[in-house]
Amino acid sequence: GQSLEQPSEVTAVEGAIVQINCTYQTSGFYGLSWYQQHDGGAPTFLSYNALDGLEETGRFSSFLSRSDSYGYLLLQELQMKDSASYFCAGNTGGFKTIFGAGTRLFVKA
Amino acid sequence: DADVTQTPRNRITKTGKRIMLECSQTKGHDRMYWYRQDPGLGLRLIYYSFDVKDINKGEISDGYSVSRQAQAKFSLSLESAIPNQTALYFCATSDAGSSYNEQFFGPGTRLTVL
């Protein structure tokens, strides 16, 4: 089967660093994506890892280890506006994308 | 103007009714998708289409059908709506030339089946 597991909730303080983990079981896996969704909004793309290692985009970084079927999203210098849900998503054969259930991030002042 | 639009944005209907949700895009993308989102379950793929002549079932296609009327239009139908189809529905597009399949989502349609 194909599934991605991530924590349901994470809480962190403004200005801190938070890591959201994602483990997956997918066949024909081509890469791991991350999406952000604010309450009442649509998911928006954040990052993609096709190869092992770290990808950095401003305050956000994403990491993939294909041998461990594991990835994470790292958010630095947290801001209140980062409070949202974050989804990892596995790209599989045929360009289907399977999403995890999402991690709700609460940023406290 | 929004690149991916969905109509209606909200809909309340009764069990047994036929419902159509419409999606249009101006991004020129070939690939289009329909997802439903339920609390705690993330986004689940209903159907996807890689061009006008290509339609594929996703994870949860039972009870749904789709029509790709043109490159820019992809409609989702519930032939006989039931209460457990109450959910938030998203349409998305992606560029066939994108190696990482970044998807662009519409604003969503909130459907309630009574």
Side-chain angles (χ1 to χ4, degrees):
Chain A
Q2 301 176 336
S3 65
L4 297 96
E5 301 291 329
Q6 49 182 131
S8 58
E9 287 186 8
V10 173
T11 300
V13 177
E14 194 174 17
I17 298 172
V18 71
Q19 179 173 311
I20 299 173
N21 298 320
C22 176
T23 58
Y24 62 86
Q25 294 181 342
T26 60
S27 58
F29 177 81
Y30 287 89
L32 193 69
S33 301
W34 289 91
Y35 286 78
Q36 179 191 59
Q37 184 181 28
H38 286 99
D39 283 349
T44 56
F45 176 83
L46 288 177
S47 68
Y48 176 73
N49 294 73
L51 304 174
D52 287 1
L54 193 68
E55 294 284 340
E56 298 181 70
T57 307
R59 294 187 297 115
F60 294 1
S61 303
S62 56
F63 172 82
L64 176 64
S65 169
R66 297 171 71 98
S67 60
D68 295 323
S69 298
Y70 164 75
Y72 64 73
L73 180 69
L74 192 73
L75 295 83
Q76 303 182 74
E77 302 173 12
L78 278 175
Q79 302 176 8
M80 298 299 290
K81 68 178 182 180
D82 297 328
S83 292
S85 293
Y86 293 85
F87 296 89
C88 59
N91 290 353
T92 68
F95 291 97
K96 285 171 54 178
T97 301
I98 306 298
F99 285 81
T103 298
R104 183 68 184 249
L105 172 63
F106 296 95
V107 180
K108 302 191 300 183
Chain B
D1 289 341
D3 295 318
V4 184
T5 57
Q6 294 182 231
T7 56
R9 295 293 311 278
N10 289 281
R11 182 71 183 268
I12 300 174
T13 192
K14 295 182 179 180
T15 297
K17 294 292 188 180
R18 183 177 187 275
I19 296 296
M20 178 180 285
L21 308 183
E22 298 188 352
C23 176
S24 294
Q25 53 113 347
T26 59
K27 299 188 75 65
H29 290 168
D30 288 322
R31 298 177 187 159
M32 298 188 74
Y33 310 80
W34 274 105
Y35 293 91
R36 69 174 276 176
Q37 186 173 36
D38 300 275
L41 293 178
L43 292 150
R44 292 183 291 167
L45 183 63
I46 306 172
Y47 271 96
Y48 60 106
S49 168
F50 288 163
D51 65 40
V52 175
K53 298 179 181 178
D54 176 78
I55 302 289
N56 303 281
K57 293 183 177 181
E59 305 169 75
I60 53 165
S61 59
D62 287 349
Y64 301 95
S65 63
V66 291
S67 173
R68 186 81 184 266
Q69 301 96 320
Q71 187 207 33
K73 296 183 182 297
F74 193 35
S75 300
L76 176 72
S77 294
L78 289 69
E79 296 300 326
S80 179
I82 56 177
N84 76 2
Q85 291 178 312
T86 293
L88 183 58
Y89 290 85
F90 285 103
C91 172
T93 74
S94 67
D95 180 5
S98 169
S99 60
Y100 50 89
N101 203 34
E102 175 184 354
Q103 296 188 25
F104 297 84
F105 286 80
T109 295
R110 186 167 297 279
L111 177 66
T112 303
V113 183
L114 301 176

